Amino acid sequence: MARARKTIEPIFDAVLIDEAQDLPQEFFELIALFTRMPHRIAFAYDELQQLNAASVPSVEDLFGRNEVGQPRLRLHSGSHARTDVVLPVCYRNPPWTLTVAHALGFGIYREGGLVQHFDKASLWKEVGYRVNAGQLEDGQQVALSRDPDSFPRFFAEQLTPEDAVQFQAFAADNEQLAWVAQNIRENLERDELDADDILIVLPNTYTAKRRAVELVRVLAQHGISAHHVGATSSQDLMFKEGSVAITHIYRAKGNEAAMVYVIDAEYAVLDQRWASATGLASRRNVLFTAITRAKAWVRVSGVGAEMNALLAEFQRVVSEDFQLRFKIPTEEERKHLRQLHRDRSEAENARRREAIRTVETALEALDRGDIEMDELPEDMKRRLERLARLPKMSE
């Protein structure tokens, strides 16, 4: 005997949803069921929090379909009011900061080429860029910069690009931590910032707890109070009067501060030995999110060769006068990027590292003359020749 469906009684007259991109589809389906007709639902959706996202899902996709396959909700309005509004002005981040965040997030000036890209090149205009040269079309070279209409004038009146965003690379971690502490002390004593104007973001969630303990200790040595959000303070409270907030990247989402320190930024580069680093797109997304927590100033620091590589990318943005110059990838190239830099399981990573070592051993044997090219099977030689003719993604 079939079970009777329970009737759901709506309980909301209207619903406002913020940070909708972080919520599962099931949440939206429940909201549709529990909201009275005519479904007064407003939601804010940041489709570019993941830089390789294509667009906002349709209302039909978000809120699901009923038993007969019809959309539960449709986008409509009984008046002339707009129902779908794209906010054209970014008030949260200075234009130079946002340009740097996009450059690093996509890997525009990365030595190994792009890490990821929008599915639609036209999205560059939608997020506030103008075309200075070239064309926004697949396979075409283009030069982009922030459209003057995409940010308020007060950024240029109150800030300079040199002060708004700075990068520092260090040879040792103790140098990095000392630099952060010294700069925060200057922020408090000379720059007239309060402790709750400052946020320290840790990109690597796996080491965040240990790193927060180290930071609290070093800051205390410089006479600065600090708290690890959710560990030494309430989970619901990001900022505390008289104390500098330290948090990992996922708790930082949805929060901003006047001054942001992003430490251990080499996390977004990985070991240079493995040029096609797995999960690189996710790590670049983390760096993008961390940098865009800054409402005025951001200081990005890290240690070692990887941080030097990231610093070189930043310096290239500055030398290009905060323009992004690159080739729009084709659909095939975007597919390749998604495959190359996707997140992989530990087993996949282990097999990949072993395969790279095997290839490296073979190449070293060829270089030493232990193996001659003529000794290779014909099929292997043809495959090597074919691979050698493949264009580089950065070209």
Side-chain angles (χ1 to χ4, degrees), residues 342-374:
R342 75 183 193 279
D343 290 327
R344 292 180 169 92
S345 67
E346 283 302 314
E348 287 178 306
N349 281 330
R351 289 194 297 270
R352 177 178 165 277
R353 288 191 293 268
E354 184 58 35
I356 290 174
R357 292 190 186 96
T358 300
V359 172
E360 185 177 48
T361 300
L363 291 174
E364 288 176 351
L366 285 167
D367 286 340
R368 291 193 304 267
D370 296 345
I371 303 174
E372 298 294 337
M373 284 292 291
D374 291 341

Side-chain angles (χ1 to χ4, degrees), residues 201-217:
V201 181
L202 306 170
N204 190 342
T205 57
Y206 294 104
T207 62
K209 187 174 182 179
R210 172 179 60 80
R211 294 298 277 161
V213 171
E214 293 173 339
L215 275 164
V216 169
R217 175 180 56 80

Side-chain angles (χ1 to χ4, degrees), residues 37 43-44 121 185 195 226 254 265 304 370:
M37 294 291 289
F43 61 94
R185 186 169 182 175
D370 296 345

Side-chain angles (χ1 to χ4, degrees), residues 74-330:
R74 292 185 185 276
L75 195 64
H76 68 278
S77 174
S79 66
H80 294 293
R82 293 171 62 189
T83 55
D84 185 8
V85 180
V86 177
L87 301 180
V89 179
C90 178
Y91 293 91
R92 187 173 69 187
N93 308 122
W96 319 286
T97 302
L98 194 53
T99 300
V100 169
H102 277 127
L104 299 180
F106 286 111
I108 300 291
Y109 296 122
R110 175 174 167 267
E111 185 177 348
L114 287 175
V115 173
Q116 56 189 331
H117 192 269
F118 298 137
D119 283 344
K120 297 179 181 178
S122 60
L123 279 174
W124 283 108
K125 287 187 175 180
E126 294 185 27
V127 299
Y129 285 84
R130 67 179 181 184
V131 178
N132 298 328
Q135 296 178 311
L136 270 180
E137 296 180 6
D138 287 4
Q140 298 297 311
Q141 294 287 338
V142 70
L144 306 171
S145 64
R146 294 299 296 169
D147 191 315
D149 293 332
S150 70
F151 57 91
R153 290 177 56 186
F154 65 73
F155 280 129
E157 293 169 352
Q158 301 295 327
L159 297 169
T160 65
E162 295 80 14
D163 190 30
V165 54
Q166 296 178 12
F167 277 57
Q168 292 286 338
F170 297 93
D173 184 50
N174 63 326
E175 296 175 3
Q176 175 186 214
L177 298 184
W179 178 83
V180 169
Q182 290 162 7
N183 273 265
I184 290 178
R185 186 169 182 175
E186 287 186 11
N187 296 152
L188 298 173
E189 295 178 353
R190 186 193 67 188
D191 301 330
E192 301 183 352
L193 292 179
D194 293 327
D196 54 7
D197 291 324
I198 302 170
L199 175 65
I200 300 176
V201 181
L202 306 170
N204 190 342
T205 57
Y206 294 104
T207 62
K209 187 174 182 179
R210 172 179 60 80
R211 294 298 277 161
V213 171
E214 293 173 339
L215 275 164
V216 169
R217 175 180 56 80
V218 173
L219 290 171
Q221 291 172 352
H222 288 74
I224 302 166
S225 297
H227 62 281
H228 182 198
V229 180
T232 60
S233 71
S234 167
Q235 293 187 4
D236 302 320
L237 186 65
M238 176 64 68
F239 299 102
K240 290 170 55 179
E241 185 176 354
S243 181
V244 173
I246 304 170
T247 184
H248 62 68
I249 185 61
Y250 296 111
R251 196 177 292 277
K253 289 176 66 175
N255 291 279
E256 298 87 33
M259 171 67 79
V260 171
Y261 287 85
V262 182
I263 75 165
D264 300 338
E266 71 274 8
Y267 172 81
V269 180
L270 299 181
D271 191 338
Q272 291 288 293
R273 175 182 172 84
W274 314 111
S276 56
T278 60
L280 191 53
S282 294
R283 291 172 179 247
R284 290 286 173 145
N285 286 337
V286 163
L287 185 61
F288 172 85
T289 301
I291 292 173
T292 54
R293 298 309 91 200
K295 295 192 291 186
W297 306 277
V298 63
R299 305 293 182 253
V300 183
S301 64
V303 177
E306 288 73 39
M307 186 60 203
N308 285 325
L310 201 64
L311 176 62
E313 293 183 45
F314 165 71
Q315 290 171 337
R316 179 71 186 280
V317 180
V318 175
S319 69
E320 293 287 352
D321 196 22
F322 293 89
Q323 287 193 102
L324 305 180
R325 297 181 181 272
F326 65 104
K327 189 191 82 170
I328 304 290
T330 64

Side-chain angles (χ1 to χ4, degrees), residues 35-55:
T35 306
R36 297 186 181 94
M37 294 291 289
H39 290 119
R40 294 183 177 89
I41 301 172
F43 61 94
Y45 197 108
D46 184 0
E47 76 273 29
L48 299 178
Q49 202 158 87
Q50 298 298 313
L51 294 176
N52 54 4
S55 60

